[in-house]
């Protein structure tokens, strides 16, 4: 896929000027779930943040890292991405898959990413703490789906919960935090469609098991997988949906 959605292109164009902060959307958000990418941009706008979004965003190498690991092609993608991002002071990483490779594999494989990297969820928690993102708690009961890249690989568990709890009432699933259960993956769905549907269906069943009727996601892949399941009992929303509502 090479063409961006028209609404996303319009949203990106509003943030073409170079700022200290760049929002890194990732290829899954840009090409597979562009509506989520647009909402991520709107959330930062809501907080009054000055930031850049790249019209020509390089791939982080996350997909190749998953498929073929530390091959030359993967490292070349990563190095090219780092060269672009090093022109900024801070990189806010929207997709947990990209955040994981930026924070772990780049360091392990000697890819020089000098810019400060922060996950989108941690950045939102910081904006809340600083009073830049103002929250109104609706009282709506929701459950949060921990992306394994954040909870297991990066140990980020409390930050997204601070955000969710600021806007709604959090009801935990039995398997959460580092014990989270996977809810699907866009890339794997290309060749394991039935398996990804079963994984997502199981996670929806977990939510229903604690009486939750809304799952809040922080992963593009898991959001797409959960939304692909045909069911009407549990609403699937992104963290951005919760904030913008």
């Amino acid at each position: 896929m090479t063409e961006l959605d028209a609404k996303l292109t319009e949203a990106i164009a509003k943030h073409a000027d170079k700022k200290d902060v760049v929002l890194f959307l990732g290829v899954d958000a840009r090409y597979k779930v562009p509506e989520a990418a647009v909402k991520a941009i709107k959330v930062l706008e809501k907080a009054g943040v000055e930031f850049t979004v790249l019209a020509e965003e390089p791939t982080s190498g996350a997909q190749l890292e998953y498929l073929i690991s530390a091959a030359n092609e993967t490292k070349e993608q990563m190095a090219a991405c780092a060269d672009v991002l090093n022109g900024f002071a801070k990189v806010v990483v929207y997709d947990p898959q990209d955040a994981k490779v930026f924070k772990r594999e780049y360091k392990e494989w000697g890819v020089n990413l000098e810019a400060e990297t922060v996950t989108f969820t941690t950045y939102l928690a910081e904006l809340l703490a600083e009073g830049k993102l103002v929250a109104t708690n609706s009282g709506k009961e929701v459950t949060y789906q921990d992306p394994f890249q954040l909870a297991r690989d990066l140990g980020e568990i409390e930050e997204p919960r601070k955000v969710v709890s600021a806007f709604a009432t959090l009801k935990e699933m039995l398997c959460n935090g580092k014990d989270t259960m996977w809810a699907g993956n866009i890339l794997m769905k290309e060749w394991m469609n039935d398996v990804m549907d079963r994984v997502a269906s199981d996670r929806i069943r977990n939510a229903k098991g604690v009486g939750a009727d809304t799952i809040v996601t922080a992963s593009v892949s898991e959001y797409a997988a959960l939304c692909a399941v045909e069911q009407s009992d549990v609403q699937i929303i992104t963290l951005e949906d919760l904030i913008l509502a």
Side-chain angles (χ1 to χ4, degrees), residues 92-94 118-126 144 150 156 159-160 163 218 239:
V92 178
V93 192
Y94 179 55
V118 59
T119 66
F120 187 71
T121 41
T122 290
Y123 192 58
L124 294 183
E126 291 174 356
Y144 172 64
L150 297 184
E156 181 184 297
E159 292 84 352
V163 180
L239 193 55

Side-chain angles (χ1 to χ4, degrees), residues 93-188:
V93 192
Y94 179 55
D95 193 326
Q97 294 182 110
D98 298 315
K100 191 262 294 186
V101 297
F102 284 153
K103 287 180 168 290
R104 196 175 72 177
E105 275 70 22
Y106 275 37
K107 293 176 182 178
E108 291 178 357
W109 301 351
V111 177
N112 184 32
L113 180 55
E114 298 172 353
E116 177 190 358
T117 57
V118 59
T119 66
F120 187 71
T121 41
T122 290
Y123 192 58
L124 294 183
E126 291 174 356
L127 293 174
L128 272 172
E130 295 167 2
K132 294 179 180 178
L133 185 60
V134 179
T136 299
N137 194 309
S138 67
K140 178 181 176 65
E141 285 193 348
V142 302
T143 192
Y144 172 64
Q145 167 61 21
D146 284 280
F148 75 88
Q149 297 97 337
L150 297 184
R152 295 183 185 176
D153 294 329
L154 300 180
E156 181 184 297
I157 296 172
E158 295 306 319
E159 292 84 352
R161 284 171 170 76
K162 290 178 181 177
V163 180
V164 173
S165 297
F167 291 90
T169 299
L170 179 61
K171 177 181 286 189
E172 294 283 13
M173 284 185 274
L174 295 179
C175 295
N176 65 76
K178 289 187 177 181
D179 295 323
T180 187
M181 299 293 287
W182 202 25
N185 179 273
I186 285 175
L187 185 58
M188 287 188 69

Side-chain angles (χ1 to χ4, degrees), residues 11 42 68 80 115 126 181 208:
K42 287 182 177 179
I68 60 176
E126 291 174 356
M181 299 293 287
K208 291 168 65 176

Side-chain angles (χ1 to χ4, degrees), residues 216-233:
V216 178
T217 63
S219 162
V220 178
S221 269
E222 292 185 321
Y223 173 73
L226 290 164
C227 286
V229 176
E230 291 187 11
Q231 55 88 33
S232 58
D233 296 328

